[in-house]
Amino acid sequence: MDVIRAAALRVLLKCCAKELERILRCNAAPEEHLGLPLSVIALANQEPELAQALYARPLEVIALLDDATLQAQSEIKNIIERRYEDGRQDLNGSAEGAGAAPLLNVYDNVHVRLVGLPSSLDPRVGPLRPPLSRVGCAQLHQLLSVTGTIVRGSPVRMWESNQVYECTRCKGRFGLKCSIESGGAVDVPENCPVQRSQPCTGSKFKKVPDISIYSGYQEIRLQAATACLGLGEPPASLTVVLQDELADSVKPGQGVEVIGVLVPRWLSTIPGQRCELELVLIANNITAWNRGRGRGRSEIEHPGMQCPGSMPPFLPDAWGSSANPGPQATPEVVALFEDFWQAHADKPLLGRNKILAGVCPGVAGLLPVKLAVLLVLIGGVARRGEGGTHIRGELHLLLVGDPGTGKSQIMKWSCQASPGRAVLTTGRGSSGAGLTVSAVREGNSWALEAGALVLADGGLCCIDEFDGIRPTERAVIHEAMEQQTVHVAKAGLVTSLSTRTAIIGAINPRPGTTITCSRPLTEITGMEGPLLSRFDLVLLLADPRHPDWDKLVAGHVLARRSITGGSEHAAVSGAGAKQSAALPAPPDLKATLPNLLLVSNDGLEGAGLWSSASVDNLSVPNPLPVDQGQMSIAQRVAAQLSGNVQGLASAALKPMQDQSSEGVEHARILAPEGVMVTSSSGDARSAWTIEVIRAYILWVRGRMPPVMTPEAERVLVAYYSAMRRAEERVAARSTIRALESLIRISQAHARLVCSNRVLLRDAVVAVVLADTSQQLLHISGGDNVTCARFPSDPDQELLMHQRVVLTALGLTNLLPAPPPMLPAPFD
């Protein structure tokens, strides 16, 4: 034990000298608890034997580290004082006439907080960083690192951490530390432990009142991410105990990583009743991730301490576990995305539509909806007003559509594509407290339990059947949507929680109401104006009853079933197969992934799609390298995210692609108004898979925020003025919040097309999207969101929309100058 104690002192002096000096100079109260960060990797490099002891006996070694902080502070203090004396003598030649020495205080309540628990520290098969669903009795008394979301937090309570006893024979006093896992009880020794010249044989002790040391503690409930759960699988949860300065350092709704020791705790020790135990994690350190406002970057907070910067860049729990944080914007992937936009510098809208081709490919049409969903996931730029008020950067989208228009599928895809947290709920199954925060009773006290909006802080919250929320409870989400906070005053608990989340809501129109832009939104939705004004975009999805559109949708569904079914695709033949497969996007939006080849007894045969599911389920005995020159940029991004390149050889790549497209016929069906309608999603094998889109969203969020140009400002202000001047204006959609919404939409579109400036085109796209539900400018095709198509030349169509918008707003001077006329040739 003396060897371990000496090693603990050496580690603190080598690795924590600067932090110990900071503690000595902090001038805190003597009874205050302070945290001292210690990297586990640095500890293992300096003292391997101490690292092994830390794994074998974590509670004992952590207690020795805490005790060693006193001696380490004293030695650091002596070093500083000697250094000051030596410097003073060198400066003045003598010790006389020099200034006073710095004030250095040694603190008793300094606790070592472990940082960066590596999985390599565990020599056994069981990992030190297990998911919450696998934490059980096998990890008892082990050092663990778990991640999750705080769903409940109790108030800070007090307990006796140290008790003083007195021997009835020799009157000697000694202190005993209480264990929180045993309910605060202490193990009284059998013989007197007081060291004297003659050992005391006393065995009876009494507690000395009014000398005990009290400490604060808090219990939180940690829950696993719902995104990594199977169908019908309840999320795993674990009780975590925070002590001393860690108590009350985190709030419900935050994503955290906890390093601690798993111990059993007695629930009931009443005579005559069955003894019950529960597993609790005694936290040694807790790290909270708070999403940056409008930037999408994670801001890591370490309560009461400074921590090394080598932390994961994104919230690990969003991907299931910290060991597998999911696809990230690595330098290789960033270079591929930059090459993609360099290739589409002349036609940025075509590049944008290639990304949109992978958005919810199972739904036909709905091009504006898919664009709006991608803008919601990317978000605008948050900022501070002149008065210090926070102006949100997250976008809120409301989908008002007839049944069967694909609203629920769009929302489910959005939750899967969200890089951060994602919560999907329904308005009929959630109350106002279930959406914000509720107070629950725990024993003799109350605790706060986070709702859907708080749990989705920093991510996305999708609320289906938004109109199912009772009208008396809709007012509770007003503050959560606009100010992005929830102020709570329930059961004596007064606090505020963050709700920095984007919201996608979906509702059906009121019974007997037809979806049309001529009707007020309050009449169609049955929602009040204050709630409607908080949505940045409102899109109306009417279900058109036209034979051509019905054939298009039916063929799209059959084509998707044939493509994803594999063997079913081969079974479909004849004219029916041609009609059902006539639904992919135009050729310029297709970017199919190479087929995986399986070597069998019959030769080579296609193994299906290159996706995360197929790669996990398929095995390739002898994978042949893919020629990078024949792969699209999105295919190379998918290869980087999957970690390897498996598939066809360069000689076999093109023939297989041609073979996969033999049964696919590109058709365009004439819409009722004479509009050419094509499929909105493209082939099921689109290279812009959900993993690639998720990585792209992470990348554009981390870029510098775009700067608004004067031309874009003039367009947005002119459209806002037109909304205010309209005779039949919708009061709920023409407030100052409408202008803020236009700014956020244009910023999100600039981010989507990888632009550092909000240009005129971004402002025009924002106006076209906002005008779909109002039709103030009467843009052609704006009232037919459901049947919206992928144009063959989206950049040329944008120029047409730009001319219509600028002409209607009286800004023709912003139109590009026509090309000069060439002189007529001489005869």
Side-chain angles (χ1 to χ4, degrees):
M1 189 59 63
D2 294 337
V3 176
I4 300 298
R5 187 177 290 105
L9 179 60
R10 291 195 301 268
V11 165
L12 294 180
L13 293 177
K14 291 180 181 179
C15 303
C16 306
K18 293 183 179 180
E19 293 296 330
L20 287 171
E21 183 177 353
R22 179 184 62 84
I23 291 175
L24 292 173
R25 298 175 182 267
C26 68
N27 195 22
E31 65 277 2
E32 185 175 350
H33 293 266
L34 303 174
L36 178 64
L38 175 60
S39 173
V40 180
I41 299 178
L43 182 148
N45 291 333
Q46 296 292 335
E47 299 289 341
E49 295 181 358
L50 181 61
Q52 294 178 2
L54 177 64
Y55 170 76
R57 305 184 302 274
L59 290 176
E60 184 178 352
V61 175
I62 291 175
L64 290 177
L65 288 171
D66 291 347
D67 295 338
T69 56
L70 280 173
Q71 187 176 354
Q73 290 181 79
S74 300
E75 295 193 11
I76 295 293
K77 180 180 179 181
N78 295 334
I79 294 174
I80 295 175
E81 291 177 349
R82 286 198 304 267
R83 185 174 56 193
Y84 177 79
E85 291 293 337
D86 296 341
R88 185 175 59 176
Q89 292 179 4
D90 294 341
L91 182 62
N92 299 323
S94 64
E96 297 178 0
L103 181 61
L104 302 176
N105 298 321
V106 177
Y107 294 92
D108 297 334
N109 300 323
V110 177
H111 308 281
V112 174
R113 302 303 180 190
L114 302 178
V115 177
L117 186 65
S119 301
S120 58
L121 185 63
D122 189 355
R124 302 186 307 176
V125 179
L128 290 178
R129 308 174 70 92
L132 281 179
S133 58
R134 296 184 181 179
V135 175
C137 298
Q139 287 82 22
L140 273 177
H141 303 292
Q142 291 187 11
L143 192 64
L144 303 177
S145 175
V146 296
T147 57
T149 304
I150 301 175
V151 296
R152 181 181 299 182
S154 68
V156 179
R157 303 185 180 97
M158 305 299 293
W159 70 293
E160 286 183 303
S161 58
N162 289 274
Q163 298 179 5
V164 179
Y165 283 82
E166 183 181 89
C167 178
T168 57
R169 179 183 292 271
C170 65
K171 305 301 180 182
R173 294 184 178 183
F174 55 91
L176 295 176
K177 290 186 177 181
C178 306
S179 60
I180 198 169
E181 58 268 20
S182 62
V186 295
D187 295 330
V188 180
E190 296 180 359
N191 299 321
C192 180
V194 179
Q195 297 182 0
R196 297 175 179 271
S197 58
Q198 295 181 356
C200 177
T201 59
S203 60
K204 294 183 178 180
F205 315 98
K206 65 178 181 180
K207 182 180 177 181
V208 180
D210 301 332
I211 304 184
S212 300
I213 299 177
Y214 292 86
S215 300
Y217 80 100
Q218 181 190 22
E219 293 185 8
I220 61 175
R221 195 70 178 173
L222 204 64
Q223 180 176 294
T226 57
C228 57
L229 298 176
L231 183 63
E233 180 182 356
S237 58
L238 180 66
T239 301
V240 180
V241 179
L242 307 178
Q243 303 180 67
D244 303 324
E245 84 280 0
L246 298 182
D248 202 25
S249 60
V250 291
K251 295 182 179 180
Q254 288 183 317
V256 296
E257 178 183 4
V258 183
I259 296 177
V261 182
L262 190 68
V263 298
R265 184 175 64 175
W266 294 96
L267 289 178
S268 176
T269 57
I270 302 176
Q273 295 185 4
R274 176 181 297 177
C275 298
E276 296 182 1
L277 288 170
E278 69 169 344
L279 294 178
V280 297
L281 188 68
I282 305 298
N284 175 265
N285 190 18
I286 185 168
T287 304
W289 283 272
N290 283 337
R291 291 284 173 178
R293 295 174 181 264
R295 291 293 304 274
R297 293 180 177 179
S298 57
E299 298 175 358
I300 302 176
E301 294 183 357
H302 301 270
M305 51 176 279
Q306 298 289 331
C307 185
S310 59
M311 301 299 294
F314 303 112
L315 183 63
D317 195 39
W319 311 97
S321 68
S322 58
N324 183 22
Q328 300 180 7
T330 60
E332 295 80 6
V333 173
V334 169
L336 292 174
F337 286 144
E338 292 176 349
D339 293 343
F340 176 80
W341 284 113
Q342 288 180 2
H344 295 85
D346 298 334
K347 292 187 175 182
L349 271 294
L350 177 61
R352 184 205 68 180
N353 283 9
K354 287 184 178 181
I355 302 175
L356 291 179
V359 176
C360 196
V363 178
L366 303 181
L367 175 60
V369 177
K370 296 180 179 181
L371 175 59
V373 165
L374 205 55
L375 296 181
V376 169
L377 293 176
I378 293 175
V381 180
R383 66 183 190 276
R384 289 281 179 181
E386 296 180 357
T389 58
H390 169 68
I391 300 177
R392 61 182 171 91
E394 288 77 12
L395 292 170
H396 300 326
L397 171 65
L398 179 63
L399 302 177
V400 184
D402 292 326
T405 51
K407 303 185 298 296
S408 298
Q409 293 190 38
I410 289 287
M411 294 170 65
K412 290 181 180 178
W413 184 93
S414 303
C415 289
Q416 296 175 358
S418 176
R421 308 182 207 168
V423 177
L424 178 60
T425 183
T426 60
R428 299 189 183 276
S430 303
S431 61
L435 291 175
T436 54
V437 65
S438 60
V440 295
R441 192 173 184 87
E442 285 189 349
N444 296 327
S445 60
W446 292 81
L448 291 179
E449 187 168 338
L453 294 177
V454 178
L455 291 177
D457 182 35
L460 174 69
C461 183
C462 295
I463 307 175
D464 202 356
E465 299 181 356
F466 196 88
D467 54 340
I469 306 174
R470 289 186 288 271
T472 56
E473 297 182 348
R474 292 177 184 174
V476 299
I477 63 176
H478 288 179
E479 179 191 3
M481 294 181 65
E482 190 64 29
Q483 284 74 31
Q484 296 190 321
T485 56
V486 175
H487 287 82
V488 183
K490 298 180 178 180
L493 302 175
V494 181
T495 184
S496 61
L497 303 176
S498 298
T499 58
R500 296 167 295 181
T501 174
I503 297 177
I504 298 180
I507 63 173
N508 295 328
R510 298 178 63 183
T513 305
T514 304
I515 295 181
T516 175
C517 297
S518 60
R519 291 176 176 268
L521 286 177
T522 54
E523 180 181 346
I524 298 176
T525 62
M527 299 169 57
E528 298 80 5
L531 187 56
L532 280 175
S533 66
R534 285 164 167 80
F535 284 99
D536 299 275
L537 279 174
V538 178
L539 299 180
L540 305 179
L541 311 180
D543 187 11
R545 293 177 292 178
H546 302 296
D548 295 333
W549 175 249
D550 295 340
K551 291 180 181 179
L552 181 69
V553 175
H556 179 82
V557 172
L558 294 176
R560 298 289 306 179
R561 180 177 178 84
S562 300
I563 292 173
T564 58
S567 60
E568 298 179 12
H569 179 68
V572 179
S573 59
K578 292 183 179 180
Q579 182 177 1
S580 64
L583 280 272
D588 54 356
L589 297 184
K590 283 192 61 180
T592 58
L593 284 171
N595 291 333
L596 298 177
L597 287 186
L598 292 180
V599 180
S600 62
N601 297 330
D602 299 332
L604 299 179
E605 59 184 34
L609 311 181
W610 192 355
S611 62
S612 59
S614 60
V615 171
D616 293 338
N617 297 331
L618 297 177
S619 60
V620 183
N622 297 312
L624 299 177
V626 177
D627 186 3
Q628 295 285 338
Q630 298 188 19
M631 294 176 61
S632 67
I633 293 179
Q635 292 171 5
R636 280 178 272 171
V637 173
Q640 290 287 342
L641 295 178
S642 63
N644 53 6
V645 180
Q646 299 178 356
L648 302 172
S650 58
L653 177 62
K654 191 174 185 303
M656 286 298 297
Q657 288 182 342
D658 296 339
Q659 180 181 355
S660 63
S661 59
E662 286 180 357
V664 179
E665 176 183 311
H666 304 290
R668 297 180 181 178
I669 301 177
L670 190 63
E673 288 80 7
V675 180
M676 296 298 295
V677 179
T678 63
S679 172
S680 64
S681 57
D683 202 328
R685 304 175 184 180
S686 175
W688 284 95
T689 60
I690 193 170
E691 291 83 6
V692 179
I693 293 178
R694 189 187 296 121
Y696 181 78
I697 294 173
L698 287 175
W699 175 60
V700 296
R701 280 182 176 181
R703 290 171 52 86
M704 292 299 295
V707 180
M708 187 75 65
T709 58
E711 295 81 7
E713 289 182 355
R714 291 183 60 185
V715 172
L716 299 182
V717 172
Y719 182 71
Y720 171 70
S721 301
M723 294 170 60
R724 300 286 292 179
R725 293 194 308 266
E727 296 181 359
E728 299 180 355
R729 73 181 184 94
V730 181
R733 301 295 301 162
S734 57
T735 63
I736 190 61
R737 291 173 180 161
L739 180 59
E740 295 288 348
S741 300
L742 292 173
I743 295 174
R744 284 189 286 267
I745 297 170
S746 57
Q747 289 173 341
H749 190 269
R751 280 180 159 183
L752 174 59
V753 296
C754 189
S755 175
N756 295 327
R757 297 188 302 163
V758 180
L759 302 177
L760 180 64
R761 68 182 179 206
D762 304 312
V764 170
V765 171
V767 169
V768 171
L769 280 177
D771 196 62
T772 55
S773 61
Q774 303 186 44
Q775 287 298 302
L776 297 179
L777 306 182
H778 303 287
I779 301 175
S780 176
D783 57 343
N784 194 5
V785 175
T786 308
C787 302
R789 62 181 177 87
F790 272 97
S792 58
D793 192 351
D795 295 273
Q796 185 64 31
E797 186 181 67
L798 177 64
L799 293 178
M800 298 172 53
H801 288 168
Q802 182 175 310
R803 182 172 297 276
V804 172
V805 170
L806 296 181
T807 303
L809 297 178
L811 299 175
T812 54
N813 56 333
L814 296 181
L815 290 172
M821 298 284 296
L822 296 177
F826 294 100
D827 294 335

